């Protein structure tokens, strides 16, 4: 158990819909990262938040947005969903905002299926 | 943009055989991390390498960081069925504002009993 929690575990929805994925980082961690993992694909970095502020942006679509709240939990909002958005979405957290040099602790992931 | 290439994509070995996965970056890295993802699981941090030419060992696993800090390898000696999973390298640029890790595409290891 990494200490990072993600809800829901599974999500099934239809094209055109909007969903929100939630992540609670490990106690004490200030950074939250979101990744997308499609079938047989690697981890695509989407976005990083550090202490409530956006710190780094990766290959995140304009239909996707995220935020980190004062209690440090984060939400990833996916809208106008398409079939190709079906994937595992991982949240990770780390102690500081240095991104690359911190150890990242991954949550169990949310499996999104768009029908 | 920065690319981290990892080979092979898949590897099947007989239990007891050795296994190696290689990671190459198009640009110099400040550090490289390795993660393991078991089937149905999430990535778990294994190790971080920072120095040029660094070699670290964890039991049967040996990690190397190249002299030019552009490549890395993970070698497993005498694989066991518990080694099954996908191994990812992840590197960070040594310069510029990019702070995020760039993950390789992973090597999926199957160990046949």
């Amino acid at each position: 158990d990494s200490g990072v929690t993600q809800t829901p575990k599974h999500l099934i929805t239809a094209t055109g819909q909007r969903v929100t994925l939630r992540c609670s980082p490990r106690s004490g961690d200030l950074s939250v990262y979101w990744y997308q993992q499609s079938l047989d694909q690697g981890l695509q970095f989407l976005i990083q938040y550090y202490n409530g502020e956006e710190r780094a942006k990766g290959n995140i679509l304009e239909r996707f947005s995220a935020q980190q709240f004062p209690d440090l939990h984060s939400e990833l909002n996916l809208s106008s969903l398409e079939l190709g958005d079906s994937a595992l979405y991982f949240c990770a957290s780390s102690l500081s905002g240095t991104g690359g040099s911190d150890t990242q602790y991954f949550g169990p992931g949310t499996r999104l299926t768009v029908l | 943009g920065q690319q981290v290439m990892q080979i092979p994509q898949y590897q099947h070995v007989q239990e007891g055989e050795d296994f190696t996965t290689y990671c190459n970056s198009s640009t110099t890295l400040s550090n490289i991390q390795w993660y393991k993802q078991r089937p149905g699981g999430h990535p778990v941090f294994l190790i971080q390498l920072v120095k040029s030419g660094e070699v670290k060992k964890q039991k049967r696993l040996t990690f190397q960081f190249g002299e030019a800090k552009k490549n890395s390898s993970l070698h497993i000696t005498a694989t066991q069925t518990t080694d099954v999973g996908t191994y990812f390298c992840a590197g960070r640029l040594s310069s510029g504002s990019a702070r995020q890790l760039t993950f390789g595409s992973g090597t999926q290891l199957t160990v046949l009993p």
Side-chain angles (χ1 to χ4, degrees):
Chain A
D1 182 10
S2 65
V4 178
T5 60
Q6 285 186 251
T7 57
K9 197 168 183 179
H10 301 278
L11 199 49
I12 301 174
T13 188
T15 54
Q17 294 298 305
R18 172 190 167 95
V19 296
T20 297
L21 312 184
R22 183 188 168 102
C23 169
S24 291
R26 289 189 327 154
S27 177
D29 283 358
L30 299 178
S31 269
V32 168
Y33 311 79
W34 286 98
Y35 292 88
Q36 181 192 58
Q37 185 175 45
S38 302
L39 193 62
D40 290 335
Q41 294 293 312
L43 290 153
Q44 298 296 317
F45 169 72
L46 297 178
I47 199 162
Q48 177 200 357
Y49 278 83
Y50 171 71
N51 206 18
E53 302 279 335
E54 182 183 303
R55 179 57 71 99
K57 215 165 187 175
N59 300 320
I60 188 166
L61 300 172
E62 283 193 16
R63 299 184 285 109
F64 297 180
S65 65
Q67 53 184 328
Q68 186 179 28
F69 295 87
D71 67 352
L72 300 178
H73 91 271
S74 177
E75 291 181 357
L76 178 67
N77 300 296
L78 315 176
S79 62
S80 303
L81 285 168
E82 302 174 0
L83 295 178
D85 297 327
S86 295
L88 254 177
Y89 290 84
F90 285 108
C91 164
S93 73
S94 71
L95 188 60
S96 74
T98 53
S101 55
D102 273 354
T103 297
Q104 295 188 16
Y105 296 89
F106 282 77
T110 292
R111 182 171 294 282
L112 174 66
T113 302
V114 182
L115 301 174
Chain B
Q2 179 193 8
Q3 283 199 338
V4 176
M5 310 300 291
Q6 199 172 344
I7 56 168
Q9 190 174 359
Y10 302 97
Q11 184 78 59
H12 291 73
V13 299
Q14 208 69 39
E15 190 173 16
E17 291 181 340
D18 291 357
F19 158 77
T20 305
T21 173
Y22 301 90
C23 191
N24 291 287
S25 169
S26 54
T27 53
T28 304
L29 302 170
S30 65
N31 63 65
I32 195 155
Q33 298 180 355
W34 285 90
Y35 291 78
K36 176 183 178 182
Q37 184 177 16
R38 292 184 187 274
H42 58 273
V44 174
F45 174 81
L46 293 177
I47 208 159
Q48 176 171 273
L49 304 171
V50 178
K51 299 176 184 174
S52 167
E54 188 170 14
V55 178
K56 286 188 176 179
K57 291 192 176 186
Q58 287 180 351
K59 297 183 181 178
R60 295 177 294 103
L61 277 61
T62 302
F63 304 84
Q64 293 189 339
F65 201 8
E67 294 290 340
K69 300 182 76 172
K70 284 189 174 183
N71 57 73
S72 181
S73 66
L74 158 59
H75 179 82
I76 302 178
T77 303
T79 54
Q80 300 175 357
T81 53
T82 52
D83 296 325
V84 163
T86 301
Y87 293 84
F88 293 98
C89 62
R92 176 178 177 248
L93 285 178
S94 61
S95 62
S97 62
R99 291 184 173 85
Q100 71 273 17
L101 288 173
T102 298
F103 279 79
S105 53
T107 296
Q108 189 174 315
L109 173 64
T110 301
V111 179
L112 305 168

